[in-house]
Amino acid sequence: MLLALCGCVREEFSKAPVRGAEKTVPERLRVNGVAVIKVDDALVEALEEAAAKGSFKTKSAALDNAFDSLGVTEWHRVFPDAGEFEARTREAGLHRWYHIEFADTITYTRAGERLKKVQGIRGIEPVHRVKRTAVDGVPNDPHFKWQWDVYNDKSLDLTIQFKNDKGQTVNYQVNEGADVNVLPIWQKYTTGSSNVIVAVVDEGVEINHPDLKGVVIPGGEKGSKNFVTRNTYSQYTITPGSHGTHVAGTIAAVRNNGIGVSGIAGGDYAKGIAGVRILSCEIFDSEDGCYDDGCAAAIKWGADHGAVISQNSWGNNYDSDDDGELSDEEKEVAKNDVITNVLKEAIDYFVEKAGCDKQGNQLPDSPMKGGLVIFAAGNDGIEYGIPESYDGVIAVGATGPDYIYSWYSNYGSWVDICAPGGDGLGQDPDEPFFTKIHTDNLGTSRGNIWNLFCTTQGEHDDYVNYGYMNGTSMACPHVSGVAALLVSLLGRQGFTAEELRERLIEGADASHVIPQRYIGPYLDAYGALRHGNIPPFATKAFPDQVFAEKGESVMLDLNEYFQDYDENDTVKYKAESSDESVVQVDVTTNTLTIFATGKGMATVTVTATDSKNMSVSSTISIAVIRNGPSDDSPLDLSGLTVGKQPVKESLSFATLVAGELEVKVVNSTGKTVLSGKYNTSASEPATVDMKKLAPGRYTVTVKCFGKSHKFVVAKV
Amino acid sequence: MRKILILAMLLIPTAALAVEPGTEAMPFLRLDFSPASLAIGGSGPKTVAVLPFSQPQLVAGASWLRFMPDVSTVNYISGGAAGRSDGFGYSLDFTRGAGEKIYGTDDIPTDIIVKGGVSFAVSEDIAVGMNLGYAGQTIMAGYKTSSYVADFFAAGHYGGLDCWVGLSTLGSSIGSEASGEFPLPSSLNVGGSFAAAESGKHLLKLNFAADYYFSGTFSLSAGAEYSFAQHAFLRGGYRYGGDSVLPSFASAGLGLRFFGVELNAAYLFASETLGNTLAVGLIFTM
């Protein structure tokens, strides 16, 4: 299979900062019949105008002539119209990239020569075929105890047997307890959060997998997407595959649900905590795959659809003859490979714009500003690899349960970090090396326990839903999973992808590094969390405080509302009233006392500051109803907000401060059709379900804070 | 007659859609816009089938109903005419109601009902009749619903007793954007009216009516009308609404008739939502 058709870029294309890469690519690696071009404004206009008309011909005669002479049969934007994110797509220049397909009898070189003559074509690039970076695995039985990569308490016998020079069988004892050290985080801090989205750029993820229920965002305009097909009608239909499902399971398989395996950031099902979510960006199906320009579009899709981590277990394919190993010539090709500009720009886009609005500010509901693109280092056992060696990504090498470099992992100074990818050897006791086999209760051999056991799609090597795989493909999602777990805990306004990257790499365990086969320090989830300070957190929102009269007071234990995760760190509290004529505050150590001093509304801002001067604030809404028993003009808390009309399913009510609403709904002939009590506040409106009511007008009476309100609402 | 039965069979299934009692669509179709009937708990006849037993005369009338002012006022204006000729009865009614503005808009919701009815006596004592009509409501700007409605009744006349039985408020269902189809408040209706006592110029009539709604609930109405010399009328009644679309209420009313002009009024009380409802109407006998 052909892999990298690269280099050969025109004029201003800058060299991507690829560590250890050269710019020349052997002619033999250039794919005939496909290329990407980057065009100027005039050609953008011509192409977009033609696309809008559904015309293949553009108003640029030069371009049309070139296309005709090359027998171009297809052209389209590499990065399709991004809707609400189109403006920043254009700002990044990604709208200039076009994928073209032409007669495969024409070499890339000849096509490049012809296209160079067209004024307005700013650059031409070949495309790479890409491949998954997994090594073969054998499926087996679902159980956490086999997941040594996630939690290794040394109870699993990982002994290898091999034959020495004299033909004697020797045991290689492995009792290192190698895992990604996630247990302390699960125990003390978090098991994942559903507001973190990881884009899995891979095969499709099995949305109906029993261990991924509710985890995978369904296909749709704002959800998962299939980049393999160009068919408009099937672009949101995900075709699941075992590789993508294995990767997703490592990150987010539902934890503690009594079945299968545990993902690193899979939440806690028993406690009702949902883990991180997966956005499936499908670039492979069972028969086909994208070129790297399609992969670039898939990476960008993640940034535009809520993901802050892009998980990529694929890379350029250097095994041209598909014989399973790289010849010297193929290695030379790999050495000289470069990242295409179209892919580089997509990665840069993700890193800069994930989690941000169109102006580049962190979105209010995004846990992180910017994104992290994580790539598998590749399985060719060489010092090179594209795109994983690009500076903008985190490259992940693979190890076995002995912390040692896996035989297949690419290596080099460009590899940022390593993680368990499996290092399974032979499964036959008569082979020179034999790794223990995972045998199920029925005595059936399920797989090589030095490899990694996780979710698969359907039947994988005769076993359903779970199986063994190995490769840097499997190592990579460990880093993505830990990254997602850290974002689940540390994510907040101001938390950046740069900080996350630093924590992952600088917090990793460098004690197992082997200089001869450098694959970076070993992933250490707890180490990453402890690297640098952890700011204090507001663990829950303050309840609104409503005082019936001036002179009343309330005391709150602030340790119930804030926590600092740094061991032995102390937090100091400060509180401030927005209006001291309404409330005054006093903080003594961990206790906040709020005094009602007069009728009105105000807010109290409480700030927790740790010893490193990092702080977090939280606000309390206050209302004082009366100045005293004789006050016959109580504060009107009737700031009741009623949901927009007409009502289709439910009617919502919000109040300035938290309170209880008594709601009664009467039909147009006076029949009371709904009544009940609802809790509400400004941030959490009460929702009255009106689905069972026929279309018509209804009179809704709402009693809150001693006052009655009446509205006529329309139900349709 | 055969056509009438076929039409009834077509309409019944739509009325039989399962909904929670009291949540049927267009409940205003069950309101009584006649002040005289409303004053006796709504127990007056709602069918044209009783007309062949009435005096051979033409009457026309108009009424105003100020409905449910304690909750949100709806003003209904009605007009109509009815008559009898050679064993045939006929009627034509029109009602329009306007409620209070929908919250947050300037849109005033409206209801409209147009009905025509015919009946004929199949014997000296038995008559059959049907009403056919159209009902629509504008919920707010851009949101309207409508349905064709029908009633099918048989009526009997035995001495001082008038009675009737039939299917009321049949019609096509109303679709909701989010909640599927809702039937009209259709029911099986039985009722009667008889002279309980008569002495000289004094007459006491008693009325009753019962409905079994296809949504699974029922209601009962009963009332009495005392009249003096057919010039002055004193009325009172009660409706037990149960879980039906129209709740319980007590009612009272007065009427005066002179020179072919009848003035009636009704007032509702003893109701959580319908108290202070008032109806006034004029009837001209020609």
Side-chain angles (χ1 to χ4, degrees), chain B residues 214-278:
Chain B
F214 298 157
S215 60
T217 188
F218 70 95
S219 66
L220 292 170
S221 300
E225 178 189 83
Y226 163 77
S227 64
F228 176 76
Q230 290 294 307
H231 288 302
F233 302 85
L234 183 63
R235 304 181 180 104
Y238 184 78
R239 170 186 165 85
Y240 167 75
D243 288 329
S244 70
V245 290
L246 185 61
S248 303
F249 60 85
S251 57
L254 292 169
L256 292 171
R257 181 192 291 161
F258 291 100
F259 310 113
V261 178
E262 185 176 329
L263 172 67
N264 292 307
Y267 178 75
L268 270 53
F269 57 98
S271 170
E272 187 186 356
T273 56
L274 302 184
N276 292 320
T277 292
L278 180 68

Side-chain angles (χ1 to χ4, degrees), chain A residues 188-189 489-490 492 499 503 526-537 563-571 609-615:
Chain A
K188 293 181 188 174
Y189 306 115
L489 178 67
L490 301 172
R492 57 166 63 192
E499 181 182 340
R503 282 180 183 269
Y526 193 39
L529 178 63
R530 287 181 298 175
H531 180 80
N533 185 46
I534 306 173
F537 278 76
Q563 188 173 353
D564 190 278
Y565 291 127
D566 287 319
E567 290 170 2
N568 303 320
D569 201 354
T570 55
V571 174
T609 306
D610 68 7
S611 60
K612 307 284 192 314
N613 210 27
M614 299 184 80
S615 62

Side-chain angles (χ1 to χ4, degrees), chain A residues 384-696:
Chain A
Y384 324 104
I386 293 294
E388 52 268 27
S389 59
Y390 174 51
D391 263 346
V393 310
I394 289 182
V396 184
T399 67
D402 53 357
Y403 285 116
I404 293 175
Y405 159 89
S406 298
W407 60 272
Y408 52 79
S409 180
N410 288 355
Y411 58 92
S413 59
W414 52 273
V415 181
D416 297 292
I417 196 168
C418 64
D423 202 5
L425 303 170
Q427 297 175 47
D428 181 351
D430 291 332
E431 289 182 2
F433 293 93
F434 170 63
T435 310
K436 186 177 172 65
I437 299 301
H438 172 171
T439 305
D440 68 15
N441 294 337
L442 300 175
T444 306
S445 168
R446 307 297 296 270
N448 187 321
I449 61 171
W450 269 46
N451 292 336
L452 303 183
F453 187 72
C454 202
T455 49
T456 56
Q457 184 272 325
E459 292 188 9
H460 177 75
D461 291 354
D462 299 332
Y463 298 107
V464 177
N465 289 336
Y466 299 91
Y468 278 97
M469 288 186 173
N470 68 352
T472 53
S473 273
M474 280 64 246
C476 186
H478 286 77
V479 178
S480 296
V482 168
L485 194 67
L486 294 180
V487 177
S488 298
L489 178 67
L490 301 172
R492 57 166 63 192
Q493 286 296 307
F495 183 65
T496 64
E498 290 86 349
E499 181 182 340
L500 178 62
R501 182 185 177 113
E502 182 186 322
R503 282 180 183 269
L504 286 169
I505 296 173
E506 301 301 324
D509 180 358
S511 63
H512 304 285
V513 169
I514 300 174
Q516 299 87 335
R517 287 281 188 274
Y518 183 82
I519 52 173
Y522 193 86
L523 175 66
D524 182 344
Y526 193 39
L529 178 63
R530 287 181 298 175
H531 180 80
N533 185 46
I534 306 173
F537 278 76
T539 51
K540 62 179 180 181
F542 283 105
D544 296 337
Q545 300 292 326
V546 180
F547 296 100
E549 289 178 11
K550 166 186 168 183
E552 294 180 353
S553 65
V554 68
M555 295 172 73
L556 300 173
D557 180 359
L558 295 176
N559 283 345
E560 288 183 14
Y561 301 95
F562 295 95
Q563 188 173 353
D564 190 278
Y565 291 127
D566 287 319
E567 290 170 2
N568 303 320
D569 201 354
T570 55
V571 174
K572 289 183 178 174
Y573 297 106
K574 187 178 76 175
E576 196 173 357
S577 169
S578 65
D579 187 346
E580 294 206 336
S581 68
V582 177
V583 284
Q584 291 182 0
V585 292
D586 178 62
V587 177
T588 308
T589 317
N590 301 326
T591 302
L592 168 67
T593 308
I594 304 172
F595 304 96
T597 54
K599 185 168 65 181
M601 297 187 69
T603 56
V604 171
T605 303
V606 183
T607 305
T609 306
D610 68 7
S611 60
K612 307 284 192 314
N613 210 27
M614 299 184 80
S615 62
V616 64
S617 296
S618 191
T619 303
I620 313 171
S621 294
I622 310 283
V624 183
I625 307 287
R626 285 182 169 84
N627 276 325
S630 58
D631 185 351
D632 57 1
S633 60
L635 178 69
D636 185 3
L637 290 178
S638 60
L640 188 68
T641 308
V642 183
K644 194 179 172 189
Q645 301 299 308
V647 178
K648 292 189 176 174
E649 293 190 354
S650 60
L651 179 62
S652 64
F653 297 99
T655 49
L656 291 175
V657 296
E660 188 180 69
L661 302 183
E662 199 176 325
V663 178
K664 188 169 79 170
V665 181
V666 174
N667 75 358
S668 60
T669 47
K671 158 88 175 170
T672 301
V673 288
L674 276 175
S675 63
K677 292 183 176 178
Y678 302 83
N679 291 318
T680 184
S681 69
S683 56
E684 292 184 26
T687 301
V688 179
D689 186 352
M690 294 182 72
K691 284 199 289 290
K692 73 171 188 177
L693 303 184

Side-chain angles (χ1 to χ4, degrees), chain A residues 669-670 691-692 697 699 712, chain B residues 20 71-72 103 111 179 245 273:
Chain A
T669 47
K691 284 199 289 290
K692 73 171 188 177
R697 64 177 180 278
T699 306
V712 178
Chain B
E20 203 171 297
V71 178
S72 64
Y103 171 79
D111 305 327
S179 325
V245 290
T273 56

Side-chain angles (χ1 to χ4, degrees), chain B residues 75-94:
Chain B
N75 286 295
Y76 286 100
I77 300 291
S78 300
R84 173 204 156 171
S85 174
D86 297 332
F88 281 88
Y90 50 89
S91 67
L92 184 65
D93 302 295
F94 169 83

